[in-house]
């Protein structure tokens, strides 16, 4: 019973933060409160995704090897995106800068 | 008559028929056995035979190309015909021959090497094979499509692949084939990773894992992260060609986008092809030198470094695109140092030979030949890490020579070594050693005749069907080499076919090898080992009990037609895109009778699959004792789901990256970009979050034993998931009605692509939840036994996680 309540509390709190985060995100962007909207949105989404991974998908209870899988995936994605975007931002013969 | 003899021979060889049975009965039993098998050894054989077939196709195309280039002014293949032959030669060799042959051998050998009864998910394994076969057949059929097959080169560079430069439906079929092949690979990735990590026999620690199995681990890790990018890239290409999107034709860096996506897959693909061959060579060198592999732990460390680094070198394929200098510098450095792990591997193999008692058998000769070729192929590749040299060599025969030395000289030689090495184990017969050595001698001499001149043709452009007379001599020499090299592969075909019927019986361990597969009979029984293998602390193998663990006889009943059905449906769908009366047209995509039938066959097969699961027909108890670190405590289905999720996250990550890429270039979207109603977006976000919340509540209830609470929560979750989809349909309808269509621009194209793919995931989530409810109604879940609930919850979590990025991308920014 105790375990049930503890889990229920965690799930409910996570749900509240997720919904609240989405509303907050909308309010901040629409009212132009966030100075760097892209970074703000990335931060909120990253935080929400971490909550889902840790508490809904129970990544915190998995062994290190499973924890490493999303982390490595994230690092590789960052490498791909950083290179792709940097190459686009740089002046190139094919794309007028 | 010949076919009848072959069929009867085949039937007898596999011992599936009673001679007294009628011929038709025998054939039907034979077909039923192979169409429904899920046994890893059967699937391995199917892979091997099919990949050899595609090797012959690819080889024939290569020979045609060489025939055209034998002298200037030839007209055997000109213009687009030549481009088609070059394109499909590359694609068939890389996608439908090399990896599938390696995975055919892996299918057969890896479970034996680790002491397992089968792969972790036998039905998925069968599905992998059928998708592979179907993808290859669709690629083959593309030759006969109006307008011919793909001709844009195996790299499918944009904008050559646009419907302006690649007319007809051939390229669409090839694109579909690549997507199906990638799906097959993804399933294989899940299967092999879970099998090797979770199903090793007691005592088969990581340190004792044979090199071939080690390299399969690295290969599937590479596949896990590389192939989702190829799926995403090809999916966007398919949309460009059939739905009017313009991802790769956009002046905002469309061709750049393809370059990045393709090569992020393309360079790791080189190691995906290479690693299994290296593993085979390492095991073979060790066996025939009568020595343990020198510094095995260093090799493993080196290969793991190579795996990681392989994702940080793709830009060297794009040095001439004017890419940012900083990025070029970084990737020039990573490209140079990636050669180090492979140099270490080669040195370790050479040191294994040192003071070894070398036995020059055919597999050993091919392994040695492969090492020799690796030195040439590797050294010529290091030049390409330098930006100035790469710019000079780009698009010349130097590059072609380098990668052919790797693919043909190293990998194909390695695969041949593996085929000769395990032939006695697989068939129970010895091949003809003399013929094998003749094959090696001819192949080894002719390969240099074929490829060495290409380094001397370093100023000759690739992808041309005619050339200046000063390049004639080297081209002629190369073509002579090609003819001899190609013809040499008839020898193993003859050798293996003859030996299969007439070869002397092979003993269980004809090579006195050290690894576990040699401790069972040749060929192995269906259940692999008589007893449960266990490796003691001093390295001895003992078999603890006859048929210990779960009995493999159960597996024989696990024959199922559903994987074949799904494959057949995919084939009909693919063929229907071109060869069937059109019912209607959506954008440029023809909806045809055959395609519709294909989809129906696939859906029925999937439903049958789910029904079998509902009845627990395929439940295989996990053995009690295993070496399963580092996944101890995570059952194999959950492990598999995590692997799948990583691939899926990468797929979405690539598409979200595409959004970022486009957005970075266009500081303002097209007018009206905020036409999506934020309220609708928020409502749907709330619905999705709440759906997952209810699903998790259901999980809590079932753990408490409350079936009523479980059912109520699951029904709520399902209702909310369906609501999400309905809201999406209403939203899309509204947007289309106000003129916000794919023709609006890149932002609209990204919106429909990403939310559509996400919606498809929500649909699968809803179907999975419905399955859970159906199973609960049949009394399939109890407080103690509720397998599957957690795994579907993980999937829903991933779907929700993707949405938290899509919502601000399309509704707020």
């Amino acid at each position: 019973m105790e375990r049930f309540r503890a889990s229920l509390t965690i799930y409910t709190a996570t749900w509240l933060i997720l919904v609240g985060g989405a509303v907050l995100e909308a309010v901040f962007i629409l009212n132009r409160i966030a100075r760097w909207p892209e970074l703000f949105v990335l931060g909120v989404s990253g935080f929400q995704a971490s909550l889902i991974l840790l508490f809904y998908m129970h990544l915190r209870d998995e062994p290190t090897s499973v924890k490493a899988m999303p982390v490595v995936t994230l690092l590789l994605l960052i490498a791909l995106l950083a290179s792709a975007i940097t190459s686009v931002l740089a002046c190139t013969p094919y794309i007028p800068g | 008559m010949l076919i009848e003899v072959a069929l009867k021979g085949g039937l007898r060889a596999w011992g599936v028929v009673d001679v007294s049975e009628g011929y038709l009965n025998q054939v039907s039993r034979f077909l039923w056995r192979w169409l429904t098998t899920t046994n890893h050894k059967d699937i391995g054989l199917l892979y091997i035979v099919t990949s050899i077939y595609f090797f012959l196709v690819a080889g024939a195309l290569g020979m045609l190309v060489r025939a055209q280039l034998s002298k200037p002014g030839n007209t055997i293949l000109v213009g687009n015909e030549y481009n088609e032959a070059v394109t499909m030669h590359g694609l068939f060799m890389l996608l439908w021959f090399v990896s599938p042959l390696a995975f055919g051998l892996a299918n057969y050998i890896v479970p034996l090497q680790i002491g397992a009864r089968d792969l972790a998910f036998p039905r998925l394994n069968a599905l992998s094979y059928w998708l592979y076969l179907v993808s290859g057949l669709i690629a083959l059929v593309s030759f006969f499509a109006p307008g011919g097959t793909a001709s844009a080169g195996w790299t499918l560079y944009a904008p050559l692949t646009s419907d302006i430069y690649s007319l007809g439906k051939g390229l669409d079929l090839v694109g579909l084939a690549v997507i199906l092949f990638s799906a097959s690979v993804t399933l294989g990735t899940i299967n092999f990773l879970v099998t090797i990590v979770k199903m090793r026999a007691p005592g088969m620690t990581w340190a004792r894992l044979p090199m071939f199995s080690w390299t399969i681990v690295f290969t599937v890790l590479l596949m896990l992260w590389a192939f989702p990018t190829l799926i995403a890239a090809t999916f966007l290409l398919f949309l460009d060609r059939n739905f009017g999107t313009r991802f790769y034709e956009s002046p905002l860096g469309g061709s750049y986008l393809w370059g990045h996506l393709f090569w992020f897959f393309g360079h790791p693909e080189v190691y995906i092809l290479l690693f299994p061959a290296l593993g085979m060579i390492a095991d073979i060198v060790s066996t025939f030198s009568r020595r343990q592999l020198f510094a095995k732990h260093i090799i493993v460390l080196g290969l793991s470094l190579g795996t990681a680094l392989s994702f940080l070198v793709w830009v060297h394929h794009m040095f001439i695109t004017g890419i940012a200098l900083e990025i070029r510098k970084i990737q020039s450095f990573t490209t140079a140092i990636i050669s180090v792990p492979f140099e270490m591997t080669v040195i370790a193999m050479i040191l294994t030979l040192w003071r070894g008692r070398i036995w020059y058998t055919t597999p050993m000769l091919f392994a040695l030949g492969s090492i020799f070729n690796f030195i040439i192929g590797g050294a010529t590749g290091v030049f390409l890490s330098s930006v100035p040299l790469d710019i000079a060599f780009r698009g010349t025969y130097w590059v072609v020579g380098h990668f052919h030395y790797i693919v043909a000289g190293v990998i194909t030689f390695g695969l041949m070594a593996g085929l000769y090495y395990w032939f006695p184990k697989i068939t129970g017969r010895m091949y003809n050693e003399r013929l094998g050595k003749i094959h090696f001698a001819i192949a080894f001499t002719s390969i240099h005749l074929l490829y060495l001149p290409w380094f001397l043709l370093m100023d000759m452009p690739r992808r041309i069907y005619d050339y200046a007379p000063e390049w004639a001599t080297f081209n002629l020499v190369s073509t002579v080499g090609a003819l001899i090299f190609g013809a040499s592969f008839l020898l193993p075909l003859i050798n293996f076919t003859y030996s299969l019927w007439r070869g002397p019986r092979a003993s269980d361990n004809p090579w006195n090898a050290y690894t576990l597969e040699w401790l069972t009979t040749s060929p192995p029984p269906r259940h692999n080992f008589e007893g449960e293998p266990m490796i003691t602390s001093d390295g001895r193998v003992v078999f603890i009990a006859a048929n210990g663990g779960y009995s493999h006889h159960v597996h024989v009943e696990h024959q199922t037609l559903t994987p074949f059905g799904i494959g057949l449906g995919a084939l009909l769908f693919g063929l229907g895109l071109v060869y069937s009366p059109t019912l209607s047209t959506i954008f440029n995509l023809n909806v045809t009778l055959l395609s519709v039938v294909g989809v129906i066959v696939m859906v029925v097969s999937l439903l049958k699959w789910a029904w079998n699961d509902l009845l627990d027909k395929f439940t295989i108890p996990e053995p009690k004792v295993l070496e399963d670190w580092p996944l101890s405590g995570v059952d194999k289905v959950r492990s598999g789901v995590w692997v799948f999720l990583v691939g899926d996250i990468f797929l979405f990550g690539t598409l979200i990256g595409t959004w970022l890429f486009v957005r970075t270039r266009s500081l303002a979207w097209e007018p009206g970009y905020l036409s999506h109603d934020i309220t609708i977006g928020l409502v749907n976000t709330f619905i999705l979050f709440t759906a997952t919340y209810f699903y998790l509540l259901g999980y809590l209830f079932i753990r408490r034993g409350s079936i009523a609470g479980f059912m109520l929560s699951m029904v709520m979750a399902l209702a909310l998931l369906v609501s999400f989809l309905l809201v999406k349909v209403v939203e899309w309808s509204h947007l289309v009605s106000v003129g916000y269509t794919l023709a609006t621009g890149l932002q609209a194209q990204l919106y429909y692509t990403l939310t559509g793919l996400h919606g498809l995931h929500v649909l699968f989530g809803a179907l999975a939840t419905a399955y859970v409810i159906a199973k609960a109604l049949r009394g399939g879940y109890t407080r103690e036994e509720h397998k599957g609930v957690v795994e579907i919850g993980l999937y829903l979590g991933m779907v929700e996680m993707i949405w938290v990025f899509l919502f601000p991308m399309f509704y707020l920014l």
Side-chain angles (χ1 to χ4, degrees):
Chain A
M1 192 64 184
E2 281 303 310
R3 202 175 154 199
F4 179 83
R5 278 193 187 149
S7 300
L8 188 63
T9 310
I10 289 172
Y11 288 156
T12 310
T14 308
W15 178 80
L16 281 171
I17 296 171
L18 289 174
V19 174
V23 174
L24 192 80
E25 209 173 19
V27 170
F28 268 59
I29 297 295
L30 290 181
N31 295 304
R32 299 178 190 279
I33 298 171
R35 181 176 270 190
W36 295 289
E38 287 84 0
L39 286 181
F40 174 73
V41 158
L42 187 66
V44 174
S45 299
F47 177 66
Q48 287 175 317
S50 307
L51 284 184
I52 294 166
L53 261 175
L54 291 173
F55 297 110
Y56 276 8
M57 298 168 79
H58 289 267
L59 189 65
R60 66 202 165 113
D61 302 325
E62 299 286 16
T64 310
S65 52
V66 176
K67 286 188 185 122
M69 284 200 261
V71 174
V72 174
T73 304
L74 187 68
L75 290 175
L76 291 176
L77 270 174
I78 289 171
L80 172 66
L81 298 183
S83 299
I85 291 165
T86 315
S87 66
V88 174
L89 287 175
C91 183
T92 74
Y94 299 111
I95 306 172
Chain B
M1 183 61 192
L2 200 65
I3 293 170
E4 190 179 327
V5 169
L7 263 175
K8 280 183 175 169
L11 293 165
R12 284 202 195 91
W14 296 108
V16 290
V17 291
D18 179 351
V19 206
S20 60
E21 265 191 292
Y23 178 60
L24 259 179
N25 269 352
Q26 293 184 32
V27 173
S28 59
R29 276 165 62 89
F30 176 77
L31 284 176
W32 180 253
R33 179 221 195 292
W34 287 99
L35 295 181
T36 60
T37 184
T38 58
N39 185 288
H40 74 98
K41 294 186 290 296
D42 291 349
I43 305 286
L45 286 172
L46 288 171
Y47 263 108
I48 292 169
V49 171
T50 312
S51 62
I52 289 172
Y53 168 71
F54 286 123
F55 175 58
L56 296 178
V57 172
L61 288 170
M63 302 275 259
L64 278 174
V65 168
R66 278 318 315 169
Q68 165 62 25
L69 295 175
S70 58
K71 64 182 172 70
N74 257 352
T75 53
I76 300 167
L77 288 173
V78 291
N80 210 44
E81 290 169 355
Y82 180 84
N83 292 340
E84 286 176 359
V86 169
T87 301
M88 296 312 288
H89 162 71
L91 284 173
F92 271 121
M93 279 292 185
L94 298 179
L95 298 185
W96 285 285
F97 161 59
V98 173
S99 277
L101 178 53
F103 273 82
L105 287 168
N107 245 297
Y108 201 104
I109 299 299
V110 166
L112 292 167
Q113 280 198 334
I114 65 171
R117 298 285 184 191
D118 205 322
L119 288 181
F121 309 108
R123 263 185 309 172
L124 276 189
N125 195 27
L127 181 58
S128 286
Y129 168 73
W130 291 113
L131 288 179
Y132 154 63
L133 173 67
V134 161
S135 65
L137 291 177
I138 291 176
L140 206 57
V141 162
S142 71
F143 278 99
F144 308 102
T149 184
S151 59
W154 79 273
T155 49
L156 301 175
Y157 278 139
L160 288 176
T161 47
S162 71
D163 47 14
I164 301 166
Y165 302 107
S166 290
L167 301 170
K169 287 287 177 188
L171 180 58
D172 295 312
L173 288 180
V174 172
L176 181 68
V178 171
I179 291 175
L180 287 173
F181 177 79
S182 305
S184 150
V185 165
T186 305
L187 297 179
T189 300
I190 296 168
N191 226 337
F192 275 97
L193 207 51
V194 175
T195 303
I196 298 175
V197 176
K198 292 283 305 172
M199 295 177 67
R200 283 168 287 131
M204 178 54 79
T205 58
W206 286 102
R208 288 179 177 148
L209 198 65
M211 272 314 296
F212 180 52
S213 293
W214 258 117
T215 51
I216 293 297
V217 173
F218 292 126
T219 307
V220 292
L221 280 174
L222 285 164
M223 287 172 156
L224 175 64
W225 287 303
F227 268 90
T229 317
L230 180 66
I231 296 178
T234 324
F235 176 60
L236 295 182
L237 176 64
F238 195 76
L239 294 180
D240 268 9
R241 291 181 54 82
N242 290 290
F243 289 89
T245 60
R246 288 288 176 261
F247 293 111
Y248 298 128
E249 290 164 52
S250 160
L252 303 173
S255 52
Y256 244 172
L257 178 63
W258 174 264
H260 277 298
L261 297 185
F262 181 81
W263 285 116
F264 189 80
F265 148 79
H267 200 86
E269 167 68 1
V270 176
Y271 302 103
I272 288 169
L273 302 173
L274 176 66
F275 278 1
L278 277 187
M280 291 176 205
I281 295 164
D283 280 348
I284 289 167
V285 164
S286 169
T287 296
F288 293 110
S289 302
R290 300 277 164 261
R291 292 192 67 200
Q292 288 210 338
L293 195 61
F294 183 84
K296 182 181 166 189
H297 55 295
I298 302 280
I299 296 182
V300 171
L301 184 70
L303 293 183
S304 61
L305 279 174
T307 302
L309 276 173
S310 70
F311 284 101
L312 301 172
V313 296
W314 82 94
V315 169
H316 74 242
H317 294 277
M318 301 169 70
F319 277 161
I320 60 160
T321 59
I323 214 159
L325 184 62
E326 293 73 20
I327 301 288
R328 279 192 277 181
K329 280 182 190 167
I330 293 168
Q331 299 232 357
S332 173
F333 175 70
T334 51
T335 305
I337 61 168
I338 201 171
S339 59
V340 175
F342 298 104
E343 285 154 9
M344 283 158 47
T345 305
V346 169
I347 291 169
M349 287 189 203
I350 292 170
L351 289 175
T352 307
L353 299 170
W354 185 258
R355 292 186 180 168
R357 284 180 293 119
I358 300 171
W359 184 7
Y360 291 101
T361 59
T362 307
M364 182 61 163
L365 289 172
F366 270 100
L368 294 175
S370 180
I371 293 171
F372 180 85
N373 291 338
F374 201 4
I375 295 168
I376 300 176
T380 49
V382 176
F383 288 84
L384 301 172
S385 66
S386 151
V387 177
L389 282 176
D390 182 88
I391 290 171
F393 286 135
R394 176 61 52 191
T396 70
Y397 263 79
W398 178 281
V399 179
V400 189
H402 155 65
F403 72 69
H404 274 84
Y405 254 102
I406 296 295
V407 177
V410 183
I411 301 169
T412 306
F413 267 53
L415 294 175
M416 285 315 301
L419 270 181
Y420 278 109
Y421 182 57
W422 283 304
F423 182 85
K425 177 54 59 187
I426 293 172
T427 63
R429 303 275 183 173
M430 291 305 291
Y431 60 86
N432 185 300
E433 189 66 45
R434 183 184 296 248
L435 208 53
K437 284 178 178 167
I438 293 171
H439 172 211
F440 169 75
I442 299 174
F444 187 70
T445 41
S446 58
I447 197 170
H448 301 298
L449 209 58
L450 167 57
Y451 297 133
L452 263 184
W454 293 3
F455 295 121
L456 303 169
L457 288 169
M458 66 175 94
D459 54 343
M460 176 172 155
R462 61 194 285 201
R463 299 187 178 117
I464 52 169
Y465 64 88
D466 199 4
Y467 51 84
E470 62 260 34
W471 294 319
T473 310
F474 289 134
N475 269 299
L476 181 63
V477 171
S478 175
T479 300
V480 171
L483 290 173
I484 302 171
F485 186 62
S488 75
F489 284 91
L490 294 175
L491 293 176
L493 281 181
I494 295 165
N495 195 350
F496 291 156
T497 312
Y498 178 81
S499 305
L500 194 59
W501 317 120
R502 302 277 178 207
R505 294 270 173 204
S507 65
D508 291 349
N509 190 0
W511 312 127
N512 295 324
Y514 313 107
T515 44
L516 211 53
E517 75 269 28
W518 300 104
L519 293 185
T520 187
T521 55
S522 300
R526 278 187 77 73
H527 44 283
N528 287 355
F529 299 98
E530 298 298 343
E532 200 72 26
M534 191 177 87
I535 296 101
T536 60
S537 55
D538 58 356
R540 285 181 303 111
V541 180
V542 290
F543 292 91
I544 46 180
N547 284 329
Y550 71 84
S551 163
H552 203 80
H553 298 305
V554 176
H555 189 75
V556 179
E557 294 158 21
H558 281 178
Q559 288 184 301
T560 171
L561 205 55
T562 50
F564 171 74
I566 296 169
L568 181 67
L571 179 67
L572 295 178
F573 175 78
L575 297 182
L577 291 179
V578 180
Y579 306 102
S580 178
T582 303
L583 299 177
S584 79
T585 303
I586 305 174
F587 296 94
N588 297 328
L589 188 74
N590 294 334
V591 178
T592 65
L593 191 62
L594 204 54
S595 292
V596 173
V597 171
V599 171
I600 291 170
V601 172
M602 267 194 282
V603 170
V604 169
S605 303
L606 279 167
L607 287 175
K608 175 69 180 155
W609 184 307
W611 182 248
N612 285 340
D613 272 353
L614 212 60
L615 301 178
D616 278 336
K617 265 190 162 180
F618 281 82
T619 306
I620 303 169
E622 295 193 37
K624 296 273 184 279
V625 189
L626 283 171
E627 287 291 335
D628 60 355
W629 183 87
L631 286 179
S632 316
V634 188
D635 72 38
K636 65 180 186 187
V637 177
R638 196 157 96 237
S639 307
V641 170
W642 271 113
V643 175
F644 167 74
L645 292 186
V646 164
D648 213 26
I649 289 171
F650 216 95
L651 174 76
F652 269 103
T654 308
L655 294 173
I656 290 173
T658 303
W659 179 90
L660 263 173
F661 185 90
V662 174
R663 189 70 208 265
T664 312
R665 284 300 299 169
S666 44
L667 297 175
W669 289 117
E670 299 84 355
Y673 79 94
L674 262 183
S675 54
H676 314 305
D677 189 334
I678 293 167
T679 314
I680 289 183
L682 266 178
V683 166
N684 244 357
T685 305
F686 175 79
I687 290 174
L688 193 60
F689 286 170
T690 313
T692 318
Y693 176 71
F694 270 106
Y695 190 95
L696 289 165
L697 280 188
Y699 169 60
L700 289 184
F701 278 121
I702 196 68
R703 280 205 318 186
R704 227 181 134 190
S706 166
I707 300 292
F710 173 69
M711 286 295 286
L712 193 65
S713 305
M714 288 298 164
V715 170
M716 280 301 293
L718 177 61
L720 286 163
L721 289 170
V722 172
S723 306
F724 179 93
L725 290 170
L726 289 176
V727 171
K728 198 50 61 201
V729 169
V730 171
E731 187 189 19
W732 274 32
S733 309
H734 168 70
L735 287 171
V736 171
S737 71
V738 297
Y740 189 79
T741 64
L742 288 175
T744 309
L746 271 177
Q747 197 261 353
Q749 293 163 14
L750 282 164
Y751 167 75
Y752 284 115
T753 303
L754 273 158
T755 57
L757 193 63
H758 179 265
L760 205 60
H761 277 69
V762 175
L763 177 65
F764 285 135
L767 290 172
T769 310
Y771 166 83
V772 169
I773 293 170
K775 191 163 181 178
L777 282 172
R778 292 181 58 87
Y781 296 122
T782 60
R783 179 180 182 160
E784 292 75 25
E785 178 54 55
H786 44 268
K787 215 170 183 167
V789 177
V790 175
E791 287 74 16
I792 293 169
L794 284 177
Y795 174 79
L796 284 177
M798 190 274 300
V799 172
E800 186 178 6
M801 205 165 64
I802 303 297
W803 182 255
V804 301
F805 288 94
L806 297 192
F807 166 62
M809 276 164 57
F810 293 112
Y811 294 89
L812 299 179
L813 291 178

